[in-house]
Amino acid sequence: NAAAGFEQAMANVKAVSGASGEEFVKLDALAMKLGKDTVFSAKEAAQGMEEMVKGGISVADIMDGAAKAVLDLATAGGVSLPEAAEIASNAIAMFGLNGKDMAHVSDLIAGAANASSLSVSDFRFALQMSGAVARTAGQTFDDLAVAIAVMGREGLKGSDAGTSLKTMMMNLQSSGGKATTAMIELGIETADGGNLFIDAAGKFKPMAEIAGILKDKTKDLTEAERLQKLEMIFGSDAVRAAAIMARQGAEGFTEMAGAMGKVTAESVAATKLDTLSGSFEQLKGSWETLLITIGKPMLPLIRSVVDGLTGFANTLIENVGPVLKAIAPHFNRFI
């Protein structure tokens, strides 16, 4: 069963990747090695590879470290391997990165979870809601990852954090009315259309700088005034993210980026597995890999038996069916 499950998982990888020949042999060997060396089974490693390929990661990058990075993220974040692969692959696709950036992306996600009260799943939902708009607004994945972590530290998590950040970014350039009035009153926007959130090249500034501007321009306001101005500019949904950014300022973002930079997915995973429970998990992965190794040579023989039984059943269907149909009327009269 272990060998058959692994064979099917690798067949799925082959189907979505188009890998064949030596390339597929290397993928198969990598999945077996990861099953031996990590807490995940070879089958789970293959499932993670499938998600990475579906997310646009090349086979070459998977073999060149991307698969290991995703396994570290899954262990560090306490999520399934396919989920970790999906999160990291989505981040790479959203921000136009490539498979070689997988380790860096995994480190940032693990760092965000480690430096705040976020879980990896919280990060996933925040990214889903805000990633596309963040890239359109000129933010890097690093910028958004730090912003999501800052939100999480103050209790704004998951899709709520992503939605609030998304709406805030969409309102960095006012569309008129009370938003423009409030931005002019705070000195963020000028009467001739200048905007402190936008640089001389017409690009939105990084999140940390935007947070610094918000903090500086609202520091002399009362709490009630600050909340009113931010709501006028960003709206009732985005005011949550804007309020946190105005409170944290550039310093809060710099501090969070520093804390996240001290963490790698690999180091967090190693620490979590440095226990008896971790040893048992590694034993389970190695044991299943052993079963796959033993079972693999038997699969062709077992498959030939199964195919033979299938052929026999089909023969019965073809020959017995008409006979039964022919005698059925006589049998019914007899009854």
Side-chain angles (χ1 to χ4, degrees), residues 6 15 27 31 62 104-105 132 141 176 179 188 198 202-203 239 245-246 258:
F6 175 72
L27 280 176
I62 288 173
H104 179 63
V105 167
F141 176 71
I188 294 174
I198 302 173
K203 296 181 179 180
V239 71
M245 293 182 75

Side-chain angles (χ1 to χ4, degrees), residues 154-238:
E154 295 215 18
L156 186 59
K157 306 176 185 180
S159 58
D160 280 347
T163 300
S164 195
L165 279 168
K166 174 192 71 175
T167 309
M168 192 205 78
M169 287 184 282
M170 291 171 65
N171 289 307
L172 289 173
Q173 190 167 17
S174 67
S175 57
K178 64 179 183 179
T180 300
T181 300
M183 291 179 81
I184 290 174
E185 288 175 353
L186 290 175
I188 294 174
E189 193 165 289
T190 61
D192 61 358
N195 188 317
L196 291 182
F197 296 142
I198 302 173
D199 64 20
K203 296 181 179 180
F204 287 108
K205 294 178 180 178
M207 286 281 196
E209 290 187 43
I210 291 170
I213 293 168
L214 285 173
K215 183 174 184 177
D216 179 61
K217 295 301 182 180
T218 61
K219 64 183 179 182
D220 296 326
L221 302 179
T222 66
E223 290 183 2
E225 290 172 335
R226 183 181 300 110
L227 186 62
Q228 180 190 44
K229 295 297 184 187
L230 292 176
E231 194 279 332
M232 290 172 66
I233 296 170
F234 298 107
S236 58
D237 192 12

Side-chain angles (χ1 to χ4, degrees), residues 32-290:
M32 292 289 286
K33 183 178 186 303
L34 293 174
K36 178 176 70 71
D37 295 342
T38 71
V39 297
F40 297 101
S41 69
K43 176 182 175 181
E44 289 173 317
Q47 290 170 335
M49 289 179 182
E50 180 186 358
E51 290 300 323
M52 281 186 274
V53 171
K54 287 160 67 176
I57 308 302
S58 70
V59 171
D61 286 337
I62 288 173
M63 292 189 293
D64 196 29
K68 176 62 166 59
V70 167
L71 264 70
D72 287 336
L73 176 60
T75 305
V79 296
S80 70
L81 195 49
E83 183 178 0
E86 182 184 353
I87 296 167
S89 298
N90 284 348
I92 284 176
M94 281 181 179
F95 288 87
L97 306 175
N98 56 57
K100 294 180 180 179
D101 298 307
M102 185 67 83
H104 179 63
V105 167
S106 296
D107 288 346
L108 282 175
I109 297 172
N114 199 66
S116 68
S117 59
L118 289 173
S119 67
V120 171
S121 293
D122 288 330
F123 189 97
R124 172 191 184 182
F125 294 123
L127 177 66
Q128 284 178 345
M129 298 305 297
S130 61
V133 171
R135 184 183 180 186
T136 303
Q139 305 299 316
T140 65
F141 176 71
D142 295 50
D143 293 330
L144 182 60
V146 173
I148 290 173
V150 169
M151 298 298 116
R153 182 166 59 185
E154 295 215 18
L156 186 59
K157 306 176 185 180
S159 58
D160 280 347
T163 300
S164 195
L165 279 168
K166 174 192 71 175
T167 309
M168 192 205 78
M169 287 184 282
M170 291 171 65
N171 289 307
L172 289 173
Q173 190 167 17
S174 67
S175 57
K178 64 179 183 179
T180 300
T181 300
M183 291 179 81
I184 290 174
E185 288 175 353
L186 290 175
I188 294 174
E189 193 165 289
T190 61
D192 61 358
N195 188 317
L196 291 182
F197 296 142
I198 302 173
D199 64 20
K203 296 181 179 180
F204 287 108
K205 294 178 180 178
M207 286 281 196
E209 290 187 43
I210 291 170
I213 293 168
L214 285 173
K215 183 174 184 177
D216 179 61
K217 295 301 182 180
T218 61
K219 64 183 179 182
D220 296 326
L221 302 179
T222 66
E223 290 183 2
E225 290 172 335
R226 183 181 300 110
L227 186 62
Q228 180 190 44
K229 295 297 184 187
L230 292 176
E231 194 279 332
M232 290 172 66
I233 296 170
F234 298 107
S236 58
D237 192 12
V239 71
R240 298 174 295 170
I244 292 173
M245 293 182 75
R247 192 159 48 245
Q248 291 289 328
E251 301 86 354
F253 274 68
T254 301
E255 178 192 347
M256 179 58 75
M260 289 168 60
K262 295 176 183 177
V263 173
T264 66
E266 184 177 19
S267 66
V268 174
T271 301
K272 284 191 171 186
L273 293 177
D274 191 18
T275 62
L276 177 59
S277 293
S279 293
F280 273 120
E281 289 297 320
Q282 289 177 313
L283 173 60
K284 285 168 59 179
S286 295
W287 182 255
E288 182 161 340
T289 303
L290 173 62

